[in-house]
């Protein structure tokens, strides 16, 4: 690719060493193991560098490397990492200190109504219960609890500066007898007692992005009483192989003949720029799904451990229902809220294409090349969500697939692998 040429006469490549294992996805990405020494020839972007390992060159994610060979420059490394917060909390909580994201979340009817419904359908059982609302934001869930049920207390925990307004909203709505607003990170706050219910809206893009779930798990282990309730109680990530004709046309096919000119030399650049990372905020048409979706990852909020988040694997097997072009995979999540009453109905929040669109929408993972598939073909493989070893709110999604054709003349098996950094 472009960077390769520039580097052929690069006299002094920079020595770096791998902080962690990485499995390259696209054919132009390198795979390496923790401790491997790589030579960096070029840094065409902040996230992806052009490097060499054992004579082979390819792209590597910059955040997986640290300068110097293994064992060298330990001190410098310590200084470096202390400069930048791996959780990026200043930026993260800074953005939740403003209204934009709260407006987006509150205007999301499916999301907000789902939490309201959970409180409403459990209102009898919530009587005299102690509730913790982790990451309460403007306090909407706590307010639902106080207005629709009679908990003894709701601890509304919020780390961003929005908390000042949350206090005002609690007062304004005459809920200060029930809701105690606590300012700070859930990991650091102290409560006077254990809680019966831990409720939180922690789900990010592709379920885990932002990894707020870690804060929820730590709070669970510290503050949820034995036998207490987690809301949501479980979460699942769904995946489907799909067509994405217009997105492909807009970003890739565009270069074929714009204004009667051949711009195809830009296609590899387009692929790098538009298809390396997943496309967030994508709304897939149900008719673009090539098969029924499949739950690839299931998280039980009672048993899930923080260490499990480092690498989560799932498998899929799809039967193609109608012929079409396989452009990529689309992912979304569903969460379930168990009832406090035995036998009571659970509440579900589904962010998929057959439900009302939510502010999360769906996440599209584009293949490098579209593949024609036919009814009866099968697409099977694995998905791995690997948490970034440095940037704790980020992860890489690796998809590995094989297409098994059902028709005689095309009876072959095509395989592919691709890794998508989200976001670093
Ligand atoms: C919810 C995010 C809200 O939770 C937002 O107001 C943020 O400041 C707060 N929050 C996140 N992590 C913590 C924590 N550890 N302690 C206290 N408050 C926290 C929506 N975000 C997603 N669902 N992705």
């Amino acid at each position: 690719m472009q960077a390769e040429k520039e580097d052929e006469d690069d006299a002094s490549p920079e020595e770096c060493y791998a902080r962690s294992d990485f499995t390259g996805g696209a054919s132009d990405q390198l795979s390496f193991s923790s401790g491997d020494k790589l030579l960096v020839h070029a840094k065409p972007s902040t996230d992806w560098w052009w490097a060499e390992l054992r004579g082979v060159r390819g792209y590597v994610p910059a955040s997986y490397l640290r300068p110097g060979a293994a064992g060298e420059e330990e001190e410098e490394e310590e200084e470096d990492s202390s400069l930048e917060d791996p959780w990026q909390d200043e930026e993260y909580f800074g953005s939740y200190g403003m209204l934009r994201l709260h407006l987006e979340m509150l205007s999301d009817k499916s999301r907000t109504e789902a939490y309201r419904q959970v409180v409403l359908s459990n209102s009898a059982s919530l009587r005299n219960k102690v509730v913790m609302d982790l990451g309460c934001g403007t306090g909407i869930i706590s307010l639902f609890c106080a207005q629709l049920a009679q908990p003894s207390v709701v601890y509304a925990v919020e780390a961003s500066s929005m908390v000042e307004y949350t206090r005002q909203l609690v007062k304004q709505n005459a809920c200060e007898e029930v809701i105690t607003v606590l300012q700070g990170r859930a990991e650091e706050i102290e409560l006077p007692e254990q809680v019966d219910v831990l409720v939180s809206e922690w789900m990010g893009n592709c379920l885990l992005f932002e990894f707020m779930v870690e804060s929820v798990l730590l709070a669970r282990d510290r503050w949820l009483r034995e036998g207490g309730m987690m809301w949501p109680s479980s979460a699942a990530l769904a995946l489907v192989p799909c067509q994405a004709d217009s997105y492909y046309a807009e970003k890739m096919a565009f270069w074929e003949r714009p204004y009667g000119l051949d711009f195809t030399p830009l296609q590899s650049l387009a692929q790098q720029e538009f298809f390396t990372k997943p496309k967030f905020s994508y709304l897939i048409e149900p008719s673009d799904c090539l098969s029924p979706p499949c739950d690839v990852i299931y998280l039980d909020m009672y048993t899930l451990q923080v260490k499990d988040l480092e690498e989560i694997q799932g498998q899929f097997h799809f039967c193609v229902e109608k012929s079409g072009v396989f452009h990529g995979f689309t992912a979304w999540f569903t969460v379930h809220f168990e009832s406090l009453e035995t036998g009571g109905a659970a509440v579900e929040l589904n962010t998929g294409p057959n439900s009302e669109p939510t502010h999360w929408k769906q996440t599209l993972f584009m293949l490098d090349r579209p593949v024609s598939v036919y009814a009866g073909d099968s697409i099977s493989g694995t998905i791995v969500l690997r948490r970034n070893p440095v940037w704790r709110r980020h992860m890489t999604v690796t998809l590995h697939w094989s297409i098994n054709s059902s028709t005689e003349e095309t009876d072959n098996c095509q395989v592919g692998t691709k890794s998508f950094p989200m976001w670093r």
Side-chain angles (χ1 to χ4, degrees):
M1 290 183 71
Q2 187 203 19
E4 197 172 7
K5 285 213 174 67
E6 283 171 13
D7 314 321
E8 289 313 335
D9 24 71
D10 175 348
S12 53
E14 185 185 336
E15 270 187 14
C16 282
Y17 110 95
R19 298 171 189 268
S20 178
D21 296 354
F22 177 75
T23 310
S27 54
D28 60 356
Q29 292 173 5
L30 292 181
S31 296
F32 50 80
S33 309
S34 174
D36 276 350
K37 187 165 100 179
L38 291 98
L39 295 174
V40 176
H41 290 279
K43 299 179 179 174
S45 77
T46 39
D47 299 333
W48 290 89
W49 292 351
W50 183 251
E52 179 181 340
L53 175 67
R54 292 183 273 275
V56 182
R57 291 188 184 199
Y59 283 98
V60 297
S63 64
Y64 279 58
L65 303 183
R66 50 159 247 143
E72 286 173 19
E73 297 179 49
E74 284 299 340
E75 281 169 27
E76 191 181 300
E77 162 71 3
E78 270 167 30
E79 263 174 34
D80 271 350
S81 51
S82 67
L83 287 176
E84 273 201 81
D85 169 18
W87 283 87
Q88 301 161 290
D89 275 355
E90 211 177 300
E91 188 185 335
Y92 182 76
F93 291 121
S95 65
Y96 283 116
M98 296 189 295
L99 269 188
R100 188 179 64 84
L101 293 173
H102 296 286
L103 178 62
E104 188 182 13
M105 294 188 288
L106 292 171
S107 341
D108 179 343
K109 280 254 167 59
S110 314
R111 165 202 179 266
T112 310
E113 288 290 351
Y115 280 84
R116 187 172 181 276
Q117 189 54 43
V118 172
V119 173
L120 200 56
S121 60
N122 284 280
S123 62
S125 312
L126 277 168
R127 199 185 169 84
N128 294 328
K129 292 281 193 300
V130 178
V131 179
M132 175 177 180
D133 174 5
L134 194 161
C136 68
T138 52
I140 187 81
I141 302 173
S142 298
L143 291 164
F144 287 155
C145 287
Q147 295 214 321
L148 305 171
Q150 282 107 48
S152 65
V153 55
V154 180
Y155 296 108
V157 182
E158 175 55 46
S160 78
S161 60
M162 190 52 62
V163 77
E164 292 165 34
Y165 294 91
T166 314
R167 286 211 178 88
Q168 292 182 31
L169 297 176
V170 167
K171 268 222 176 96
Q172 195 77 14
N173 290 279
C175 292
E176 69 265 45
E177 299 283 285
V178 178
I179 303 175
T180 303
V181 178
L182 299 166
Q183 174 162 21
R185 297 192 79 214
E187 290 84 338
E188 285 149 21
I189 49 114
E190 294 294 331
L191 300 184
E193 59 190 323
Q194 295 233 299
V195 306
D196 300 298
V197 177
L198 171 47
V199 61
S200 181
E201 193 277 86
W202 52 264
M203 300 79 71
N205 277 297
C206 217
L207 187 60
L208 289 176
F209 186 64
E210 291 178 40
F211 283 89
M212 182 176 162
V213 65
E214 174 166 326
S215 309
V216 175
L217 299 181
L218 294 172
R220 175 198 68 191
D221 294 347
R222 191 143 175 243
W223 299 112
L224 188 68
R225 72 155 172 80
E226 186 89 24
M229 175 63 73
M230 292 292 286
W231 277 340
S233 323
S234 66
L237 185 73
L239 193 72
V240 75
C242 63
Q243 302 201 120
D245 258 324
S246 34
Y247 186 64
Y248 186 83
E250 181 190 320
K251 302 291 185 212
M252 189 59 76
F254 173 83
W255 308 106
E256 276 161 23
R257 206 99 202 127
Y259 306 97
L261 299 164
D262 184 350
F263 269 41
T264 52
L266 294 181
Q267 281 185 319
S268 62
L269 203 57
Q271 183 176 303
Q272 178 72 20
E273 202 166 318
F274 305 119
F275 298 169
T276 298
K277 288 180 175 171
K279 169 146 182 60
F280 284 165
S281 291
Y282 182 71
L283 276 176
I284 185 180
E285 291 292 331
S287 60
D288 276 339
C289 297
L290 294 166
S291 85
C294 159
D295 279 349
V296 286
I297 280 159
Y298 174 83
L299 305 180
D300 177 331
M301 291 303 289
Y302 296 94
T303 56
L304 181 67
Q305 299 296 314
V306 172
K307 65 171 168 20
D308 300 336
L309 301 173
E310 293 302 321
E311 187 172 311
I312 301 181
Q313 293 217 25
Q315 294 189 338
F316 51 82
H317 183 85
F318 300 107
C319 296
V320 175
E321 278 190 342
K322 55 175 184 198
S323 304
V325 182
F326 174 29
H327 281 114
F329 292 95
T330 295
W332 64 85
F333 68 83
T334 302
V335 289
H336 279 96
F337 303 82
E338 285 171 357
S339 172
L340 282 165
E341 285 148 48
T342 6
V347 173
E348 179 188 90
L349 168 59
N350 187 328
T351 65
N354 293 312
S355 302
E356 271 296 299
T358 66
H359 78 287
W360 288 282
K361 300 185 184 157
Q362 289 103 35
T363 309
L364 172 66
F365 298 90
M366 289 293 278
L367 310 185
D368 287 337
R369 270 165 301 278
V371 186
S372 292
V373 290
Y374 303 92
D377 289 0
S378 70
I379 301 171
S380 44
T382 56
I383 179 169
V384 184
L385 273 50
R386 203 171 281 115
R387 200 168 174 187
N388 188 297
V390 180
W391 305 105
R392 303 311 276 159
R393 296 196 185 276
H394 301 241
M395 65 180 171
T396 295
V397 176
T398 302
L399 288 155
H400 177 76
W401 66 92
S402 65
I403 308 166
N404 279 290
S405 171
S406 54
T407 49
E408 295 256 325
E409 67 270 31
T410 54
D411 191 23
N412 57 5
C413 173
Q414 293 185 58
V415 298
T417 301
K418 188 165 174 180
S419 286
F420 298 83
M422 276 175 86
W423 205 233
R424 295 205 179 174

